[in-house]
Amino acid sequence: MTVTLNDLYDNPDHYLHSFDGEYAVFVPMDRDAYARSIFLDRRIQLARPGAIRAPIEPLLRGRPPMHGGRWIFHVAHCGSTLLANALEQLGDFTVLREPAALRQVAVSRAGALLPLVLSAMAKRYPGAGPTLVKANVPVNFILEDIAALKPADQAILLYHDLPAYVAAVLRSDGHRGWLRAVTSELAWALGDLTGATDAERAGALWAGQIASFARFADGRADVRALDADAFYADPAATLRAAAALFGMTPGEGTIEEIVAGPLFTTYSKKPGEPFDNARRLARRHESEAALRPEIDAAMEWILRERFAAADDRAVLVASAL
């Protein structure tokens, strides 16, 4: 079957996965494939094998207008997958979890490609509501660019306070490897951190994201901040507030059923593995106790580099969901 340019523009079954040189790579998806895909990077679960490589230049020339959308921006390791999965159960819309193409644009600062990516991610199935995009960490540093192109989209900014954040990103060698890699990728936003300790990198990444969130949220009623601890402590209240922000109308008792169901008693990134708020708190307290010197070192770095973390945090509190 011949695939036309309009098919690539309009049909969510043709998903813009990534860029490869002068080509955009589209992969075959359907509603079930999107729902199965915990992440839309290399772990994407395709509807069937195959890909289409389309030259970027013609796509940019003919890009259609963008539909409105919804967003979850997050600092990582703070329950964003759980939140996205819970919201997915509330309505008929597509959830895009950590799109690779959007991350590529953020890391490479390829701003000319951003309109194409945003348009592609906003595609909807007939009769479905606005797409919900759960972005990833590098995207937090291009929020103002996204807002300039899609000013009417609603967004949740999900974050941890510094001690919980450091405990999350430094709790294993794998997490530390991720931290070093992403802070190196984001040197354009965070500065050159060559020679910095893991604690200093964690402080830089946290403070940079909180500052970006504060700028994005300040004065915008359609952008609300969410402390991860508030979400974990009362997920039903969070889901009700998120549904109201996103213009969703859950059925009576739906939210309570979701919160009481398996979603909140298993690990969102490893379905079937038991995990709940009590286990999360136990792990966090253990990590915070073990990592207290590095938590203190991260705060010392933030103060030394004159980040206005307290002021930025206050903006987020004032913008709470």
Side-chain angles (χ1 to χ4, degrees):
M1 182 179 72
T2 301
V3 176
T4 68
L5 195 61
N6 284 337
D7 290 329
L8 297 180
Y9 285 147
D10 299 332
N11 189 345
D13 284 353
H14 302 294
Y15 172 66
L16 174 56
H17 177 267
S18 54
F19 297 103
D20 183 10
E22 298 178 355
Y23 293 90
V25 180
F26 291 82
V27 296
M29 298 291 282
D30 56 28
R31 292 190 178 201
D32 288 341
Y34 283 116
R36 288 196 308 269
S37 297
I38 295 176
F39 297 107
L40 292 172
D41 51 17
R42 67 184 183 280
R43 294 163 286 188
I44 190 171
Q45 299 292 309
L46 302 181
R48 60 186 180 281
I52 295 172
R53 290 167 55 86
I56 292 173
E57 187 176 348
L59 289 167
L60 290 175
R61 287 200 304 266
R63 180 183 55 81
M66 302 177 207
H67 297 293
R70 305 158 174 159
W71 296 84
I72 297 172
F73 300 111
H74 63 97
V75 299
H77 307 297
C78 58
S80 60
T81 301
L82 177 60
L83 177 60
N85 291 352
L87 289 171
E88 185 177 36
Q89 295 190 13
L90 290 182
D92 184 13
F93 57 91
T94 301
V95 177
L96 306 180
R97 301 168 183 86
E98 309 207 0
L102 183 61
R103 188 185 195 282
Q104 282 183 292
V105 168
V107 169
S108 64
R109 303 182 72 185
L113 298 178
L114 184 58
L116 174 61
V117 173
L118 295 180
S119 177
M121 291 192 308
K123 293 187 290 188
R124 304 180 191 177
Y125 286 105
T131 300
L132 172 63
V133 179
K134 182 181 92 78
N136 41 27
V137 165
V139 180
N140 294 334
F141 295 90
I142 61 168
L143 296 186
E144 291 169 284
D145 297 329
I146 293 173
L149 292 167
K150 303 196 73 184
D153 283 8
Q154 302 88 29
I156 293 172
L157 308 173
L158 181 62
Y159 68 96
H160 260 317
D161 277 340
L162 182 67
Y165 184 73
V166 175
V169 301
L170 298 186
R171 71 172 181 257
S172 74
D173 290 343
H175 288 78
R176 288 173 184 261
W178 170 85
L179 173 69
R180 294 168 196 153
V182 77
T183 50
S184 295
E185 288 178 316
L186 290 169
W188 66 267
L190 300 174
D192 185 0
L193 293 171
T194 301
T197 65
D198 289 346
E200 291 167 340
R201 286 177 181 267
L205 185 56
W206 180 82
Q209 291 180 100
I210 296 300
S212 181
F213 280 5
R215 290 193 300 270
F216 187 62
D218 194 17
R220 291 188 57 182
D222 56 349
V223 174
R224 313 305 294 172
L226 174 60
D227 187 324
D229 284 337
F231 170 42
Y232 290 130
D234 193 347
T238 295
L239 293 179
R240 282 192 288 271
L245 176 68
F246 290 153
M248 302 162 62
T249 308
E252 185 176 352
T254 301
I255 287 176
E256 288 70 21
E257 290 175 2
I258 292 171
V259 171
L263 196 61
F264 283 85
T265 57
T266 56
Y267 191 28
S268 57
K269 296 177 183 177
K270 297 178 181 178
E273 181 176 317
F275 195 70
D276 56 18
N277 194 39
R279 289 181 173 89
R280 182 194 66 82
L281 286 173
R283 184 180 69 181
R284 170 179 162 181
H285 292 155
E286 181 180 354
S287 295
E288 284 188 11
L291 296 169
R292 177 52 57 184
E294 290 185 284
I295 293 170
D296 293 341
M299 179 55 74
E300 289 169 6
W301 187 93
I302 290 169
L303 295 174
R304 186 169 67 247
E305 297 298 319
R306 301 180 183 275
F307 273 86
D311 293 339
D312 295 332
R313 172 71 169 77
V315 171
L316 297 186
V317 171
S319 304
L321 181 68

